[in-house]
Amino acid sequence: CLAVMGEKDPAIQRLEATRDTFPATHYSDTAQLLINLLLESERRNEAIESADLSDLERARAYFAAGSYSPALRLFAEIGDEHLAPLDRYRFHRSREESGQIQPAIKGYTDSINRRRDQAAVREANRRLLLIGNFYGGGSRVKEYAEDRAEELGDNQALEDIEEAAREIREAVVVEEIQETEDSELLSELEETIALD
């Protein structure tokens, strides 16, 4: 989470502590893997920073590299009103990936309502579908995005996301049933043991 929020040094320090505290375990292995990924990301970011690019080109490069915090900073400096539709999408996606969900929802909604670029509108609406169905965006976001998907003719994406949401809900129901059954079995075992 620290790394996603742009705080790589504290993230690396904590991962190093995990690696050193649990040597020869999967915790250590996973921590080292994440450290390596963060260091590689840092090298990519340094290359982007040293390249002869405009602020917009640099923001796009950060976005493409998955470095959302620096992309967000640059897009914000340029200003939402000066961005082309796909760059506005990238700006709001960077917000979402950096944990600024409500501003991202507002930005996606604004992009959809402007309808200046079909590809950007479709991508923004797909993000709203995901936020509404999986990331706690709520029923209003979900319903708005579903209505827009139908208007846009983006029915396949809508069906795919709805199917994935159903499968997750079905898995949760199965887990709840199993937990109930397990607790009933546990109660029966406790009664049997008490009788012996």
Side-chain angles (χ1 to χ4, degrees):
C1 290
L2 286 169
V4 169
M5 301 304 288
E7 304 210 19
K8 286 190 178 140
D9 290 339
I12 289 173
Q13 289 172 352
R14 289 189 180 186
L15 289 165
E16 287 172 340
T18 301
R19 178 195 62 203
D20 298 344
T21 303
F22 303 100
T25 66
H26 70 282
Y27 298 114
S28 177
D29 294 343
T30 302
Q32 187 59 55
L33 175 67
L34 291 172
I35 290 167
N36 293 343
L37 289 171
L38 290 172
L39 292 174
E40 177 58 31
S41 173
E42 200 170 278
R43 284 188 285 277
R44 275 194 318 262
N45 287 351
E46 288 171 1
I48 292 168
E49 198 58 42
S50 66
D52 185 24
L53 301 171
S54 70
D55 285 347
L56 181 57
E57 291 168 330
R58 187 168 280 112
R60 289 173 178 162
Y62 280 129
F63 180 86
S67 294
Y68 298 108
S69 291
L72 175 59
R73 179 182 48 80
L74 287 169
F75 283 130
E77 287 174 11
I78 294 166
D80 196 18
E81 65 279 357
H82 300 293
L83 296 173
L86 280 173
D87 289 322
R88 289 186 87 240
Y89 165 76
R90 292 177 184 115
F91 174 40
H92 299 300
R93 177 73 187 272
S94 296
R95 281 181 157 168
E96 177 190 345
E97 296 295 341
S98 297
Q100 299 178 15
I101 304 299
Q102 290 305 316
I105 290 171
K106 183 181 180 331
Y108 291 146
T109 304
D110 289 346
S111 292
I112 292 165
N113 291 337
R114 288 182 186 191
R115 297 189 184 259
R116 289 179 37 206
D117 179 281
Q118 190 70 9
V121 167
R122 198 173 286 245
E123 290 301 316
N125 196 63
R126 287 176 179 177
R127 294 309 307 169
L128 287 180
L129 283 168
L130 292 170
I131 291 169
N133 279 282
F134 300 106
Y135 308 135
S139 60
R140 287 181 49 204
V141 171
K142 179 179 178 241
E143 290 168 12
Y144 172 85
E146 288 172 348
D147 291 345
R148 297 303 78 74
E150 289 177 9
E151 288 174 11
L152 295 166
D154 202 12
N155 297 323
Q156 187 60 53
L158 178 59
E159 289 173 23
D160 291 345
I161 290 169
E162 287 177 340
E163 181 180 338
R166 270 193 308 276
E167 288 177 13
I168 288 174
R169 281 192 286 278
E170 288 171 7
V172 169
V173 169
V174 168
E175 286 177 18
E176 288 175 0
I177 290 170
Q178 288 173 339
E179 286 175 8
T180 302
E181 289 176 358
D182 290 346
S183 65
E184 289 172 7
L185 288 173
L186 185 60
S187 295
E188 289 176 22
L189 286 173
E190 287 175 347
E191 288 176 21
T192 304
I193 292 170
L195 293 176
D196 290 339

